[in-house]
Amino acid sequence: MAALVLAAACQSTPPPSDEADLAVSESVEAEETEAMDEAAETMPEEAVAEVKTYPQENVAPGEDPYIWLEEVEGEEALDWVRTQNERTLEELQSGGMYDRYYRQALDVLQSDERIPYGTVRDGYVYNFWQDSNNVRGVWRRASLESYETSNPRWETLLDIDALAEAEGKNWVYKGANCFKSDAGARWYCMISLSDGGKDAVIQREFDIATKRFVDGGFVTPEAKQGFAWVDRNTALIATNWGEGTTTASGYPFIVKRWSRGTPLSSAVEVVRGDESDVGVWPSVIETDDGRRLQMAVEADTFFTSTYWWLPEGETSPVRMPIPQKSSPQGVYQGNLLITLKQHWSPRAGSAFFSGDVVAFDLETFLRTREVPPVSLVFHPENNQAVNGVAIAKGAALLSIDENVRGKVLQIEPADNGWSRTELSLPGTSGQAGIAFADRDSDTVFINYEDFLTPDSLLRYDVSTGEVRQIKSLPTKFDAEGLAVDQHFAVSSDGTAIPYFIVYKEGIELDGTTPTLLYGYGGFEVSMNPSYSGVRGRLWLEEGGAYVLANIRGGGEFGPAWHQAGLKTDRQIIYDDFIAVAQDVIGRGVTSTEHLGIMGGSNGGLLMGVMLTQRPDLWDAVVIQVPLLDMLRYHLLLAGASWVDEYGSPDVPRERAFLETISPYQNFDPNADYPAPFFVTSTKDDRVHPGHARKMARKFEVAGKPFYYYENIDGGHSAAANQQEAARRNALEHVYLHRKLFGEGE
């Protein structure tokens, strides 16, 4: 079973909101008005713009004057967005640097010299591909034998550009959920399509054999939804069933069983959660003998879930004996494998710890409906973290990090526990992950990369035990003379915080190296070494250094590393990031005037906090698709699903803490901020673009320099296609270069 992924932060609406008590203090409003003319006199000429007034900003003291910018498609809000876009593009696209950076980024992003990652079904590799000729992309396949050659013979199954043109839609491909019919071994897939990149999708049934959508097949209306095949003619579906059927986070909480040939409205309810849940999703567990156990996953919170088994012919769901802070990973040799994110004592005398991988006999549970004996599969050491488990035909694989470097292990049940065998990979200092594994195939794809080594795709053949490289990328930038070090900074509580630095060997440690520091720090998402041709060309080749901070909130050292920064403990995450910056400066690598920072989504919140808490530490701040108004975030789009990460503004103690960190509320119109660059997307239905809009508006009203670019399409990635991704990267790096290199183009 593929475990439920709720989307790392800010992956993916709100209950009726109480507009009161949400905001900007009367004194701050007065200061903003006073500071406007004075600050405008000292702004860099190119950043000064006439500040238009809006009558809707004349609000009562204590209310938010910029709440009108939360109207995503509002005429005046979009007029403001277009004005900011025009001003920013005029500034950053002037001169020759932008065109050069755009061409370089697009060359990398649209290059045919990319690894076409895919999934294996019956001897074919299925892949989704975008390039200059296929802007929206094509879904295609090649035989496994052909795939391993340097020039695979691809067969197009679905052309998204042609589909979008024919239907007059800005379709963005969001994936295929496929099922193999017993009759004729034929594959049918539910294709997910998003209008402009939103998380909300429609799904249509597609017949691979005919390369056509199925006439009269399963089709779903647009919604944030989940779909699981039960058999060829039956599915489990969770969607928006009408008013009152979605959670405060905008996700479904009712799962129904849907039969082919019947309208969706006639589907039969099988599980109902609560509006207070994050959401409820359908799923299936496949057993070793091919049975498909119908399941539902009730995400009570972002980090806790209840797992339900839906026995055939029974009307009541059966709760699975799985701890709430845990994830089932699939069945191997009759054992249901589970990763734990909490301590668990399933029986007297047995105890397992957060971060462990455990297993129990599934058939015993199905027969007795009681928790069976549980065995330990893997216990990580202090410097290790489990990334996940993958089940292939004849093998179970475990992906782990060790000191933020990846390893892949094969695990097998043995007489006295589980054995582990490490697979041989081409490097030991980078990121190693399982790119594909499926219980119907004995082919496993493994990816390896590090900061200076392009991606390699390895094929692990379970039947022979052979690991061999089948594809690798050519270098996308000149890494000659570059080095990578790992250092540790000491945070405010004495904890050692690791970070990587990529730099030119022999640099003068005189504080003059332009340095970009990247961080995330949330939702147990690890920041691992990775190869980026765009970063290499637009930053490292230009002489910049790159720093990746492994701060708390992430998953680099397991659940405890994440949980150390939850809710009212979150300031430690920001202290970690500050400690890394100070350590890099202390080593003489860079200095404030040459140090820039970047982060997106939850990392965008990190950037906002760094901007308002320590504006003295950096001279450039790129704030991508951010959360910034932490007193209203839970009322905007998917925000309510993240209260277990950030705390709730409706809980007095948690609100009091959020008031201390929220960038929007802590903006000071008299402070000396570096001019930030806000990047967001109108079509982002996960993190509301109002966060970036409102914060930028504060800068504007206060007369402070800032840059702002909002992609009208693009979803949470802020880029609906590779051209837009290249544009965003080029704009960001022109900004960084001008701010940190201190020289002309």
Side-chain angles (χ1 to χ4, degrees):
M1 165 184 175
L4 168 69
V5 177
L6 280 182
C10 310
Q11 222 163 343
S12 9
T13 271
S17 63
D18 179 356
E19 300 293 352
D21 194 29
L22 288 175
V24 183
S25 70
E26 181 178 3
S27 61
V28 170
E29 291 176 42
E31 287 177 344
E32 286 176 355
T33 303
E34 278 180 19
M36 179 176 140
D37 294 331
E38 176 185 349
E41 295 176 4
T42 62
M43 287 173 64
E45 185 175 346
E46 69 276 11
V48 175
E50 181 181 353
V51 180
K52 180 179 178 179
T53 59
Y54 294 86
Q56 59 265 47
E57 292 181 354
N58 296 321
V59 298
E63 292 184 358
D64 185 350
Y66 311 128
I67 204 165
W68 61 278
L69 287 165
E70 292 180 4
E71 189 178 349
V72 176
E73 302 282 356
E75 183 177 345
E76 285 191 294
L78 285 177
D79 177 66
W80 180 89
V81 166
R82 293 187 182 99
T83 299
Q84 302 309 319
N85 280 356
E86 182 179 352
R87 177 183 62 82
T88 294
L89 292 175
E90 182 179 3
E91 169 65 19
L92 295 181
Q93 291 181 338
S94 65
M97 184 178 291
Y98 170 80
D99 287 339
R100 177 165 62 90
Y101 279 178
Y102 176 79
R103 289 194 303 270
Q104 289 178 334
L106 192 62
D107 180 62
V108 171
L109 294 170
Q110 290 191 337
S111 171
D112 289 340
E113 295 177 323
R114 288 176 281 140
I115 294 177
Y117 291 99
T119 60
V120 180
R121 301 186 184 100
D122 284 349
Y124 285 91
V125 178
Y126 290 75
N127 162 260
F128 179 71
W129 184 260
Q130 292 174 297
D131 58 26
S132 57
N133 295 320
N134 304 283
V135 176
R136 290 181 173 86
V138 291
W139 188 46
R140 60 188 188 170
R141 72 176 181 178
S143 70
L144 184 55
E145 180 182 13
S146 176
Y147 177 75
E148 293 195 17
T149 68
S150 59
N151 189 25
R153 295 185 298 274
W154 292 105
E155 172 190 5
T156 296
L157 301 173
L158 181 62
D159 185 327
I160 305 301
D161 292 272
L163 182 69
E165 182 177 359
E167 299 184 349
K169 294 284 190 178
N170 183 17
W171 287 134
V172 175
Y173 174 83
K174 288 283 189 173
N177 177 358
C178 297
F179 174 79
K180 183 178 180 180
S181 171
D182 293 334
R186 195 160 170 170
W187 285 95
Y188 298 89
C189 303
M190 292 298 288
I191 305 295
S192 293
L193 298 168
S194 164
D195 185 6
K198 297 180 288 186
D199 284 355
V201 298
I202 67 166
Q203 295 191 73
R204 298 181 188 172
E205 187 179 3
F206 188 85
D207 184 345
I208 289 179
T210 64
K211 302 180 191 177
R212 295 180 180 276
F213 290 109
V214 177
D215 290 338
F218 289 121
V219 177
T220 70
E222 183 181 74
K224 295 180 180 181
Q225 58 187 277
F227 183 100
W229 292 96
V230 175
D231 56 40
R232 173 73 183 98
N233 296 310
T234 313
L236 297 175
I237 180 170
T239 188
N240 184 342
W241 301 101
E243 185 176 355
T245 65
T246 59
T247 67
S249 304
Y251 296 108
F253 65 84
I254 299 171
V255 177
K256 297 185 180 184
R257 187 178 287 114
W258 187 18
S259 297
R260 179 177 299 281
T262 64
L264 183 58
S265 59
S266 69
V268 178
E269 181 176 319
V270 290
V271 170
R272 176 181 289 260
D274 299 308
E275 187 176 340
S276 60
D277 292 334
V278 170
V280 183
W281 285 268
S283 186
V284 168
I285 289 181
E286 284 194 66
T287 63
D288 292 319
D289 59 5
R291 286 174 295 151
R292 298 173 66 83
L293 303 180
Q294 299 175 51
M295 300 282 296
V297 185
E298 181 178 1
D300 309 282
T301 70
F302 200 91
F303 301 114
T304 61
S305 294
T306 303
Y307 296 87
W308 300 100
W309 170 38
L310 312 173
E312 283 279 7
E314 299 186 21
T315 57
S316 298
V318 177
R319 184 168 181 169
M320 297 284 289
I322 299 172
Q324 285 196 306
K325 291 185 180 179
S326 305
S327 299
Q329 300 290 316
V331 179
Y332 182 64
Q333 295 191 17
N335 297 283
L336 179 63
L337 293 154
I338 303 167
T339 53
L340 299 181
K341 297 183 180 179
Q342 66 180 76
H343 298 338
W344 187 32
S345 296
R347 291 184 166 197
S350 66
F352 303 97
F353 299 93
S354 181
D356 286 351
V357 180
V358 300
F360 64 74
D361 183 77
L362 179 60
E363 292 299 331
T364 300
F365 163 71
L366 296 179
R367 185 179 65 256
T368 66
R369 304 194 179 186
E370 296 179 355
V371 59
V374 179
S375 62
L376 177 67
V377 176
F378 179 77
H379 174 73
E381 302 297 330
N382 290 336
N383 65 342
Q384 294 176 325
V386 172
N387 293 324
V389 177
I391 310 297
K393 186 178 182 179
L397 300 171
L398 178 64
S399 172
I400 69 168
D401 278 345
E402 187 170 292
N403 283 328
V404 204
R405 296 172 171 91
K407 293 184 176 183
V408 178
L409 314 174
Q410 183 166 340
I411 54 177
E412 289 289 332
D415 292 338
N416 55 347
W418 287 67
S419 66
R420 301 190 298 273
T421 304
E422 184 175 343
L423 300 189
S424 177
L425 303 179
T428 58
S429 59
Q431 176 180 176
I434 301 167
F436 165 79
D438 185 85
R439 64 183 309 109
D440 292 327
S441 174
D442 61 4
T443 293
V444 176
F445 290 152
I446 298 171
N447 181 77
Y448 177 83
E449 62 184 299
D450 59 42
F451 289 114
L452 305 181
T453 304
D455 302 44
S456 295
L457 184 64
L458 314 173
R459 177 180 176 179
Y460 173 48
D461 191 322
V462 174
S463 59
T464 65
E466 180 186 21
V467 179
R468 58 187 173 87
Q469 180 176 294
I470 60 172
K471 293 188 182 295
S472 63
L473 288 180
T475 58
K476 294 295 184 182
F477 62 93
D478 183 6
E480 182 69 28
L482 290 177
V484 180
D485 290 338
Q486 186 181 41
H487 296 295
F488 290 82
V490 179
S491 191
S492 58
D493 65 350
T495 299
I497 308 301
Y499 67 89
F500 293 98
I501 178 169
V502 188
Y503 64 98
K504 280 279 188 184
E505 290 180 310
I507 62 171
E508 294 290 335
L509 296 178
D510 58 1
T512 62
T513 301
T515 301
L516 176 60
L517 169 59
Y518 189 90
Y520 186 79
F523 295 88
E524 206 173 342
V525 175
S526 299
M527 295 287 103
N528 297 96
S530 64
Y531 188 86
S532 168
V534 173
R535 181 202 306 141
R537 290 195 186 183
L538 276 58
W539 189 251
L540 296 174
E541 280 189 359
E542 297 284 315
Y546 177 76
V547 177
L548 181 65
N550 300 118
I551 57 180
R552 279 172 284 190
E556 287 86 345
F557 298 106
W561 196 250
H562 166 236
Q563 293 165 10
L566 290 178
K567 295 188 176 182
T568 57
D569 293 326
R570 199 162 196 83
Q571 182 61 44
I572 199 64
I573 294 172
Y574 308 132
D575 291 351
D576 290 356
F577 194 80
I578 291 167
V580 170
Q582 291 174 327
D583 198 75
V584 174
I585 292 172
R587 291 178 184 277
V589 174
T590 194
S591 55
T592 293
E593 56 266 39
H594 298 291
L595 178 60
I597 57 176
M598 176 188 286
S601 195
N602 170 74
L605 169 61
L606 171 66
M607 295 303 103
V609 174
M610 293 300 96
L611 178 65
T612 52
Q613 287 193 359
R614 290 301 305 269
D616 59 306
L617 260 184
W618 9 76
D619 200 40
V621 184
V622 181
I623 307 175
Q624 303 164 319
V625 289
L627 290 91
L628 294 169
D629 183 349
M630 297 308 290
L631 300 188
R632 272 186 67 77
Y633 84 91
H634 64 315
L635 303 176
L636 302 175
L637 298 178
S641 65
W642 309 323
V643 294
D644 279 342
E645 178 80 14
Y646 300 123
S648 172
D650 295 331
V651 176
R653 178 173 173 269
E654 294 172 358
R655 182 185 182 90
F657 171 74
L658 289 169
E659 288 173 345
T660 70
I661 67 161
S662 179
Y664 186 63
Q665 277 71 33
N666 282 279
F667 173 83
D668 180 355
N670 295 311
D672 184 15
Y673 294 116
F677 185 10
F678 299 96
V679 179
T680 190
S681 169
T682 309
K683 294 293 188 182
D684 190 345
D685 56 350
R686 189 182 311 165
V687 175
H688 199 292
H691 287 278
R693 291 176 179 180
K694 295 198 303 178
M695 189 73 166
R697 177 63 175 164
K698 280 198 169 188
F699 271 79
E700 183 183 28
V701 170
K704 295 187 175 298
F706 70 97
Y707 298 90
Y708 185 94
Y709 178 67
E710 180 173 324
N711 183 15
I712 303 301
D713 291 306
H716 192 48
S717 67
N721 53 57
Q722 302 292 29
Q723 286 96 328
E724 271 299 330
R727 171 188 278 201
R728 176 177 56 79
N729 275 284
L731 292 171
E732 290 168 350
H733 283 85
V734 168
Y735 161 81
L736 289 166
H737 188 104
R738 291 181 180 176
K739 294 285 288 180
L740 304 180
F741 276 78
E743 58 188 44
E745 300 184 15

